[in-house]
Amino acid sequence: MKSRKYMGIALLSTALVTAGCGITYHSPSVKEASAGVAVREIPLTAQSVLAANQSAYSPKRLPAAFYQTAGGGSLRFGGPLPEEPFVPEETRGALQLRPPPQILPQTYRIGVGDVVLLATKSVGSTVEELSGLLAAQNRRQGYTVRDDGRIAIPEIGQIDIAGLTVEEAEARIFEVLVRNQIDPAFSLEVSDFNSQRVAIGGAVGNSTLIPITLKPLTLGEALTSAGGIQLANDEFGSIRIYRSGTLYQIPVKDYFEDPALQRRVLLDGDAVYVDTTYDLQQALAFYQQRLDVIAQRTQARAQALAELETEVSLRRAALGEQRTNFEALDQYGAVERDYVYLTGEVAQQSRFALPFGQTATLADALYDSGGYNNATGSSRHIYVLRASNNPAEFGAVTAWHLDATNAVNLTLAARMEMRPDDIIFIEEQPVTKWGRSLQQTFGLVGAAVNTARAAGN
């Protein structure tokens, strides 16, 4: 009897509360107008997604330090060291003939240090007509092939010709001139041959370096250029040729008797030394000088490499510090970011930071934050609320409506681009609204019953 009394008091109190307060539970939803702001609802389709994505937006970019590298460099030094030379044991007997292999003449290829000329054949052409291109040649000043294999022509630029034959280099230069709308009649000449040389020493008229030119350099021509062989007795004289780690030998007597030996072709880097059987130490001293030069070049290259590595490390450390500072500023909110806000029946009420340097989609923002619960959220009512930036529209809102009851429509979420300050809102399921309303109502009933009981006691 007393329970019925309490229940009646509770129901009466609840009725009075609900009657006084109006609706007990207020569920958020998208309406046509709110607080005087016009709301336009547009269903998301393949066509309307394109319209939504047309709004202007430039994603914020990361600092330049994130796009830079520490860089690199190239070393402009010689190749690796040759192998130890082969030095045979000599006796007073007959000298052994070990000539270098016969090499077929090869077309000369332009190298670093060579000087080339562009010789014009056009009598009527003037310096002005050729845009200053051949002014240097008219003064017989050529273009030197630099360490990077290029020559620099005024008003034209840099042209890589190292490793090319004269004909190939001439064709390449002509192609560059045509691209620059210059078409002079010219021919390419190599005026100074400095890239390929042969060393001559020992019992010769004049120890020297002899360049290899367009015409292959033979052993006889090289010795003649050095003043010829100067030996008191040819019987024990020998011509030693150091090439790529091997020591070849031609007795002077055989050299003069066999013209084929005189026509042996020399290569870049060959060292020719004329001595006698019993002057081996002097020959070795000559070869040692050549090796010392190579060793110095190798040491210089190692030093340059160490300096380059130090410089790259400093650049890398500076870039790393700039990136770390930016990440710290971003962590503490000191970096200006663009955000999208998620509300309604999402997994977590939160904000999603739009990425740097690229756009994000509705799917990115929604599922990066945990998505939504199908049990409480309505797949039929997923909205992207976007306020207008046009002052004439007084902040009018466009509600892009996605109906995801058909899962295929979720592909539209992966194409719908987000804009700063977009609101992603997911409405409740109807049963969720009803259940929460009852939950609030029963809560009021329970409170009223407890109040009645307390009053009865």
Side-chain angles (χ1 to χ4, degrees):
M1 195 68 180
K2 184 180 289 188
S3 298
R4 292 180 180 178
K5 175 182 178 182
Y6 295 153
M7 182 63 69
I9 295 174
L11 291 175
L12 178 60
S13 301
T14 302
L16 291 175
V17 170
T18 55
C21 299
I23 299 175
T24 303
Y25 177 69
H26 298 275
S27 174
S29 62
V30 176
K31 301 177 176 59
E32 293 184 357
S34 177
V37 176
V39 178
R40 178 179 60 173
E41 182 177 333
I42 300 178
L44 270 184
T45 63
Q47 291 75 22
S48 62
V49 163
L50 296 177
N53 292 343
Q54 286 181 351
S55 59
Y57 171 58
S58 297
K60 296 186 181 300
R61 292 181 58 83
L62 287 168
F66 285 87
Y67 299 94
Q68 296 175 350
T69 61
S74 60
L75 300 178
R76 301 176 181 177
F77 298 94
L81 284 173
E83 299 177 359
E84 286 292 330
F86 168 73
V87 182
E89 294 183 0
E90 296 290 356
T91 64
R92 191 174 176 80
L95 294 174
Q96 182 181 1
L97 175 62
R98 295 187 305 274
Q102 184 64 276
I103 298 174
L104 296 177
Q106 298 181 355
T107 304
Y108 183 85
R109 294 189 177 274
I110 299 172
V112 174
D114 287 344
V115 179
V116 298
L117 294 175
L118 303 184
T120 178
K121 299 179 181 178
S122 178
V123 179
S125 297
T126 65
V127 175
E128 291 76 11
E129 292 174 350
L130 298 181
S131 302
L133 173 62
L134 304 181
Q137 276 65 250
N138 292 336
R139 296 192 301 268
R140 304 302 295 172
Q141 295 177 359
Y143 302 115
T144 301
V145 181
R146 304 180 309 189
D147 290 352
D148 58 1
R150 299 178 180 179
I151 60 173
I153 300 179
E155 302 182 18
I156 298 300
Q158 301 179 6
I159 306 176
D160 190 356
I161 63 172
L164 303 181
T165 65
V166 174
E167 290 76 15
E168 292 171 346
E170 189 174 61
R172 178 168 295 181
I173 294 173
F174 182 82
E175 179 182 356
V176 174
L177 296 181
V178 170
R179 287 203 305 265
N180 286 271
Q181 299 180 353
I182 298 176
D183 187 14
F186 75 95
S187 63
L188 182 67
E189 302 175 0
V190 181
S191 62
D192 293 326
F193 298 87
N194 300 317
S195 62
Q196 303 179 36
R197 296 182 179 183
V198 172
I200 307 293
V204 293
N206 181 28
S207 298
T208 183
L209 291 174
I210 301 177
I212 297 177
T213 63
L214 299 180
K215 179 183 177 183
L217 180 64
T218 64
L219 178 59
E221 293 171 343
L223 290 173
T224 301
S225 299
I229 298 176
Q230 306 291 326
L231 286 176
N233 189 346
D234 296 342
E235 181 181 359
F236 301 108
S238 67
I239 302 171
R240 291 184 171 91
I241 303 173
Y242 174 74
R243 175 184 296 169
S244 301
T246 302
L247 188 63
Y248 301 98
Q249 178 176 270
I250 300 176
V252 172
K253 184 177 179 181
D254 293 341
Y255 169 80
F256 285 122
E257 292 177 352
D258 188 358
L261 294 175
Q262 302 174 23
R263 292 194 295 268
R264 290 295 168 104
V265 176
L266 299 178
L267 300 179
D268 177 37
D270 283 356
V272 180
Y273 193 88
V274 180
D275 69 337
T276 64
T277 306
Y278 303 106
D279 203 9
L280 186 59
Q281 292 299 324
Q282 185 178 356
L284 290 178
F286 172 76
Y287 301 135
Q288 187 62 48
Q289 291 176 1
R290 298 289 298 169
L291 292 177
D292 288 343
V293 171
I294 297 174
Q296 290 175 4
R297 292 172 58 194
T298 303
Q299 183 180 1
R301 181 170 62 177
Q303 181 178 356
L305 179 60
E307 293 175 355
L308 180 62
E309 290 178 347
T310 301
E311 182 179 356
V312 172
S313 298
L314 291 175
R315 294 178 188 172
R316 186 178 292 114
L319 291 176
E321 183 177 7
Q322 294 178 38
R323 296 167 184 172
T324 301
N325 290 341
F326 176 82
E327 292 170 354
L329 291 173
D330 185 45
Q331 180 181 358
Y332 289 105
V335 176
E336 184 179 359
R337 297 292 299 271
D338 292 328
Y339 294 96
V340 170
Y341 302 89
L342 296 94
T343 186
E345 296 303 312
V346 292
Q348 181 179 2
Q349 311 284 325
S350 60
R351 67 179 184 178
F352 170 77
L354 293 179
F356 291 100
Q358 60 182 353
T359 58
T361 64
L362 171 59
D364 293 330
L366 186 60
Y367 293 104
D368 186 78
S369 303
Y372 67 99
N373 189 346
N374 290 326
T376 60
S378 174
S379 298
R380 186 183 300 275
H381 298 291
I382 301 175
Y383 296 92
V384 176
L385 308 178
R386 182 173 298 171
S388 174
N389 294 325
N390 187 353
E393 297 181 354
F394 299 100
V397 175
T398 300
W400 301 96
H401 180 194
L402 174 63
D403 183 356
T405 51
N406 183 353
V408 174
N409 289 339
L410 288 173
T411 60
L412 299 174
R415 295 157 55 188
M416 173 72 177
E417 296 180 359
M418 295 289 94
R419 297 293 183 261
D421 300 326
D422 279 353
I423 306 294
I424 299 175
F425 169 71
I426 300 180
E427 196 172 315
E428 297 169 305
Q429 293 269 20
V431 66
T432 303
K433 297 180 183 179
W434 182 74
R436 288 173 176 171
S437 179
L438 288 180
Q439 181 180 8
Q440 187 172 1
T441 300
F442 287 139
L444 292 173
V445 170
V449 169
N450 291 333
T451 302
R453 287 177 177 177
N457 294 333

